[in-house]
Amino acid sequence: MTSYPRIVIDAAKLKHNYSRMVEIGRTHGVGIFAVTKVYTAMPELARIAVEAGVEALADSRIENLEQLASLGVPRVLLRLPMLSEVDAVVRHAEISLNSEVTTIRALADAAARAGLRHGVVLMVDLGDLREGMKPEEAIEFAGEILDSPHLELKGIGVNLTCYGGVIPSTENLSVLADTAAAIEDKYGVQLAIVSGGNSSSIPLLQSSKMPKRINNLRIGEAVVCGKETAYLKELEGFHNDTFVLEAEIVELKHKPSVPTGEIGYDAFGQVPTFVDRGERLRAIVAIGKQDIDASGLTPLDSAITLVGGSSDHTIFDLTDCSASYRVGDVLRFRCDYGAMLRAFTSRYVKKVIR
Ligand SMILES: *Cc1c(COP(=O)(O)O)cnc(C)c1O
């Protein structure tokens, strides 16, 4: 018997989306790193990315990258390494993104101990205020990396639209391109990677306004959800239902829309408020906050609306549905990035590839 809740992954659609992303990149001289963190780097899915032609597999967690050895492409650690994990980093990632001198020196020592050479991408902050050195610091410090026998300066990169919501533009990415040129001129080297961001850089890429020197993007959400993240537009030619969450109805009853009795705190310490819409047909579905962010679910039956939920239960309103549901039926949803991240991380949600 099939067990629920589960995420059903359409392998053909995922392959299509990765191939399309690689093709868009190729048209503009940009290589793609597949960002695997949203699907906890399931090796079967990462392999699909590799088959579609991505240049590397990138993830924020070293435990995830550890699962991706032997897929034939470099592994890139996206989150700045913790000083406490540098030995694991040089073992399970060929490249890491970095912005701290102390950490980069510790990586060099770890690589020396392991008898390895570790690739470094120096992150430059162009205003989003998450990770990154100032451009002039990166230009200066690149020299020390180039001098280290245990490090290889792979290139530079930027992260935008993450903390500060800053949208990639010709102007801010030109600063990255200029920083690359300054490093190349100062030290007489050629940088392999000039990484212009994530899924929020796709609109700029497609409008051909990305500075020429940018030759890499690190892409997660666009491939997984079928949309870019600067303006949240669906991307043409991408599937948006590659991943479908399925959860089972465990109660289906007509109930009033306002609780009876004095209202105190709900299961998460909030005081709930209610709108009286009369009696409604309500389904309790066996999935909860431990497994998903319910506000990020889009029911495939568009007449279904979210009512609320707690740790293990989510309540939906089925009153307006033309389909008739019964206890034991399965509701299906598309997930936004946050909901998908949580569903993949929950060990109570099965993952099925078709
Ligand atoms: C998660 C992450 C990405 C991928 O971002 P998407 O918006 O999912 O494409 C790229 N770079 C870094 C540093 C990340 O942490």
Side-chain angles (χ1 to χ4, degrees), residues 113-132:
R113 283 193 292 277
L116 295 165
R117 200 145 184 243
H118 184 71
V120 171
V121 171
L122 268 185
M123 295 304 278
V124 179
D125 179 32
L126 300 180
D128 198 57
L129 304 183
R130 205 177 74 176
E131 68 270 51

Side-chain angles (χ1 to χ4, degrees), residues 22-258:
V22 167
E23 179 194 311
I24 291 171
R26 193 176 290 139
T27 315
H28 296 91
V30 164
I32 303 299
F33 285 1
V35 174
T36 56
K37 63 194 182 199
V38 72
Y39 53 80
T40 61
M42 276 179 72
E44 301 91 325
L45 304 185
R47 184 183 301 279
I48 291 173
V50 173
E51 285 166 4
V54 303
E55 288 181 350
L57 296 169
D59 203 289
S60 44
R61 294 172 194 251
I62 204 72
E63 295 89 336
N64 284 354
L65 291 177
E66 200 172 339
Q67 307 175 70
L68 300 181
S70 76
L71 286 180
V73 295
R75 293 166 296 170
V76 181
L77 182 65
L78 293 172
R79 184 169 63 189
L80 304 175
M82 294 180 260
L83 275 174
S84 59
E85 67 176 353
V86 289
D87 288 295
V89 171
V90 299
R91 236 176 308 122
H92 303 300
E94 284 66 45
I95 301 170
S96 57
L97 309 187
N98 286 278
S99 66
E100 284 290 353
V101 169
T102 318
T103 309
I104 295 169
R105 288 177 184 153
L107 285 168
D109 292 343
R113 283 193 292 277
L116 295 165
R117 200 145 184 243
H118 184 71
V120 171
V121 171
L122 268 185
M123 295 304 278
V124 179
D125 179 32
L126 300 180
D128 198 57
L129 304 183
R130 205 177 74 176
E131 68 270 51
M133 297 178 159
K134 295 195 181 92
E136 55 276 18
E137 289 168 346
I139 296 165
E140 191 55 41
F141 187 64
E144 181 173 326
I145 300 175
L146 287 163
D147 284 342
S148 167
H150 296 289
L151 297 177
E152 187 178 353
L153 182 62
K154 287 287 186 186
I156 62 173
V158 67
N159 204 48
L160 292 165
T161 340
C162 266
Y163 168 71
V166 173
I167 291 178
S169 63
T170 311
E171 293 71 37
N172 55 30
L173 288 182
S174 292
V175 177
L176 187 72
D178 293 347
T179 306
I183 292 173
E184 292 177 334
D185 289 350
K186 184 172 165 102
Y187 303 105
V189 292
Q190 182 74 24
L191 296 178
I193 298 167
V194 183
S195 187
N198 53 43
S199 295
S200 70
S201 292
I202 294 174
L204 192 69
L205 182 71
Q206 289 191 302
S207 66
S208 301
K209 289 186 185 142
M210 184 105 99
K212 291 274 169 300
R213 190 62 190 86
I214 309 296
N215 66 359
N216 173 273
L217 291 179
R218 313 172 307 269
I219 301 293
E221 184 159 351
V223 162
V224 167
C225 299
K227 68 174 187 223
E228 49 79 18
T229 56
Y231 312 100
L232 305 180
K233 293 247 164 50
E234 303 251 323
L235 286 166
E236 203 185 307
F238 283 75
H239 296 288
N240 65 7
D241 57 353
T242 306
F243 296 79
V244 173
L245 178 75
E246 299 183 341
E248 187 174 333
I249 299 174
V250 292
E251 186 191 285
L252 185 65
K253 292 185 193 302
H254 289 274
K255 293 190 185 185
S257 31
V258 178

Side-chain angles (χ1 to χ4, degrees), residues 261-334:
E262 189 192 346
I263 306 297
Y265 297 98
D266 68 10
F268 281 78
Q270 308 290 320
V271 178
T273 54
F274 302 94
V275 178
D276 193 353
R277 309 176 65 208
E279 278 236 326
R280 306 293 291 177
L281 179 62
R282 292 152 66 109
I284 300 179
V285 163
I287 193 165
K289 294 190 188 199
Q290 188 167 6
D291 316 294
I292 42 146
D293 174 2
S295 64
L297 299 183
T298 306
L300 296 195
D301 179 341
S302 60
I304 297 176
T305 55
L306 175 68
V307 176
S310 52
S311 309
D312 310 300
H313 303 84
T314 308
I315 306 169
F316 291 96
D317 186 326
L318 270 47
T319 314
D320 299 331
C321 295
S322 50
S324 68
Y325 291 94
R326 290 175 303 186
V327 168
D329 281 350
V330 167
L331 300 187
R332 304 172 76 227
F333 308 89
R334 289 198 286 122

